[in-house]
Amino acid sequence: MFLILALVFILVLLSLGSHVSTSLGLVSAVLVLTVSGVPETVIAQTAFKSVNSYPLVAIPMFIFAGNLMMRGQIAGLMIDLVGSIVRAVRGGLALTVLIASVFFAAVSGSSVGSAAAIGRSTVQGLRDEHYPPRFAAAIVAVGGTLGLMIPPSLGFILIGSIVGLPIDKLFVAGVLPGIMEAALLSFATFWLSKRGGYGAKAQQPDWQGFARNFPRALPALLMPILVLGSIYAGFMTPTEVSAFAAVYAMLLCLLVYRSVTLGGVWKVALESMLQTTMIFAVVMGGSLLGFILTRMGISATLVSGLQHMGLSWWEFLIVVNVVLLFLGMFLDGIALIVLTAPLLFPMAQALGIDPIHFSVIMVANVEIATLTPPIGLNLFVMSGISRIPVHEVARGVVPFYAVRLTGLALISFVPVISLALVH
């Protein structure tokens, strides 16, 4: 009952325009004051402890690196490089957008950031090749979601910090699911483009253009290879890699491409700091709520109730996916993770579900949440960039929901996709 009331009050506050962190903090503070034997100092102590975490240091660094790469006009470079070959097929520019999204996913770790970077460089070009405006916006919005699955993923960093899982293993676990999702989206894009007759088609691949663009793009292409390779080989921890990525991105933009000035770096640093502050505020509010619900015995009650229901692991995953998809309509990805991870992971482990596999399932749900109205952030980002109403972007995304749900089902019920590279 307390859990349902807490969720209802949070949704009411959000509907009134309150920030997610404020809603979580207010509801948590009220619960703390109503539980006997819990001192008020717990509020400050829990909030501080939740962000006083070494793994969380990676978040501002990856955000800074991703923002720099977005400001550095590198998206256009990737579009030219990939497009010189891919645009020889029907829907080539749309496929180029998805492939470029994979690159930015491996740089920024952010769904919204990837969509914004690619969208500014491609929306007008897609329209010029007679792609419908809502289809063009939807392609970028859907491609941007890959930034949550393909490492370095901010979602995996949050989950690892909250439930105590090794972030390097979570990163590795996201590689194959991310590639699978990109392949499914690419196939759907090709089919929809061919059926609708969208996009111009080059006579043949421009290998000369590829050879001309490759040397200039190579330093940027090396970044995800160095980041992921260092983690996979065990040379650096995710936190150390995040610092390396930030420095590497700054050197690229300042010295190699000369696309950002020192003043621009400072502005990017300030923006990244503000974004990090918002994320950490949500983490503090969610951690406090998780603490007080645990103190009230709700987590133990849920696990006990689950055991009495006699659900199998696959039945439990169906229920979890339905619940997360529903909550994703009202909560952004960070709030969804922070609010549900402390409650769901003990239940999953009680049924013998691998926690790393379950982490990938949660991130796959968060990807879909960024595309789900009325809160889907990628819809609003692409609405602003493409200058069409949010509901039009959402209509463009509809054909891709089936693809995303198919990917979610495969990730949920075929654990080897997530665990093949981990174990």
Side-chain angles (χ1 to χ4, degrees):
M1 179 61 70
F2 276 105
L3 179 60
I4 296 175
L5 287 175
L7 181 60
V8 169
F9 278 121
I10 289 171
L11 295 178
V12 169
L13 289 171
L14 290 174
S15 66
L16 294 175
S18 175
H19 190 269
V20 175
S21 59
T22 305
S23 303
L24 292 173
L26 285 174
V27 171
S28 303
V30 170
L31 288 175
V32 168
L33 295 175
T34 58
V35 176
S36 60
V38 179
E40 291 82 355
T41 54
V42 163
I43 297 175
Q45 292 170 349
T46 303
F48 175 77
K49 184 180 178 181
S50 66
V51 294
N52 185 27
S53 167
Y54 177 71
L56 286 181
V57 176
I59 289 180
M61 294 295 184
F62 279 129
I63 290 176
F64 178 62
N67 286 344
L68 273 176
M69 297 291 276
M70 285 183 275
R71 285 290 187 88
Q73 301 176 359
I74 295 171
L77 200 62
M78 295 298 110
I79 296 295
D80 292 339
L81 178 69
V82 176
S84 58
I85 298 175
V86 178
R87 293 179 73 173
V89 301
R90 173 64 67 185
L93 183 55
L95 290 172
T96 299
V97 168
L98 285 175
I99 295 172
S101 297
V102 172
F103 167 80
F104 266 88
V107 170
S108 69
S110 166
S111 172
V112 174
S114 297
I118 299 297
R120 293 191 183 99
S121 302
T122 59
V123 164
Q124 189 56 49
L126 287 165
R127 287 185 173 183
D128 292 343
E129 292 195 5
H130 308 295
Y131 289 89
R134 68 187 183 198
F135 182 83
I139 283 291
V140 182
V142 171
T145 63
L146 297 172
L148 287 167
M149 182 63 73
I150 297 175
S153 163
L154 301 186
F156 284 135
I157 295 174
L158 280 175
I159 291 174
S161 301
I162 292 170
V163 300
L165 292 174
I167 294 173
D168 54 347
K169 289 188 176 183
L170 293 177
F171 279 179
V172 173
V175 173
L176 289 183
I179 294 174
M180 180 197 70
E181 290 177 339
L184 290 173
L185 290 173
S186 296
F187 177 79
T189 299
F190 171 76
W191 183 77
L192 289 170
S193 298
K194 187 174 182 179
R195 190 185 70 167
Y198 303 152
K201 179 182 176 182
Q203 294 298 319
Q204 58 185 3
D206 183 9
W207 293 107
Q208 290 183 344
F210 181 84
R212 184 173 58 253
N213 291 324
F214 184 77
R216 181 165 172 77
L218 181 60
L221 290 172
L222 286 175
M223 183 173 176
I225 296 173
L226 292 172
V227 169
L228 300 182
S230 298
I231 294 174
Y232 194 79
F235 293 147
M236 288 186 277
T237 67
T239 303
E240 292 167 345
V241 166
S242 69
F244 167 79
V247 173
Y248 188 85
M250 187 165 56
L251 293 176
L252 277 183
C253 295
L254 283 174
L255 303 179
V256 178
Y257 298 118
R258 300 179 184 274
S259 52
V260 176
T261 63
L262 282 174
V265 171
W266 176 247
K267 290 181 180 178
V268 170
L270 291 178
E271 292 175 4
S272 303
M273 182 176 64
L274 290 174
Q275 292 170 10
T276 302
T277 301
M278 288 188 289
I279 293 173
F280 279 17
V282 175
V283 171
M284 287 190 289
S287 297
L288 182 59
L289 182 60
F291 166 82
I292 194 61
L293 292 177
T294 302
R295 182 66 179 263
M296 295 168 69
I298 291 178
S299 298
T301 301
L302 289 174
V303 172
S304 177
L306 179 67
Q307 292 172 340
H308 282 91
M309 290 174 65
L311 292 179
S312 64
W313 69 272
W314 62 269
E315 291 172 328
F316 170 74
L317 289 182
I318 291 176
V319 174
V320 165
N321 284 328
V322 170
V323 170
L324 291 178
L325 289 173
F326 173 75
L327 292 178
M329 297 172 60
F330 307 102
L331 299 172
D332 63 42
I334 296 169
L336 188 62
I337 290 173
V338 172
L339 188 61
T340 61
L343 298 174
L344 294 179
F345 269 85
M347 300 168 70
Q349 289 179 298
L351 290 174
I353 299 173
D354 190 296
I356 293 178
H357 175 216
F358 194 68
S359 300
V360 178
I361 294 172
M362 287 201 70
V363 170
N365 277 281
V366 172
E367 287 181 301
I368 298 174
T370 64
L371 300 171
T372 307
I375 303 296
L377 295 181
N378 282 21
L379 302 180
F380 287 93
V381 169
M382 291 314 303
S383 173
I385 292 176
S386 61
R387 297 181 180 178
I388 63 176
V390 174
H391 70 270
E392 283 294 309
V393 182
R395 288 181 63 188
V397 170
V398 167
F400 295 98
Y401 277 119
V403 180
R404 298 319 309 254
L405 292 174
T406 300
L408 175 61
L410 289 171
I411 289 170
S412 297
F413 304 117
V414 187
V416 69
I417 298 174
S418 304
L419 302 176
L421 298 180
V422 178
H423 300 307

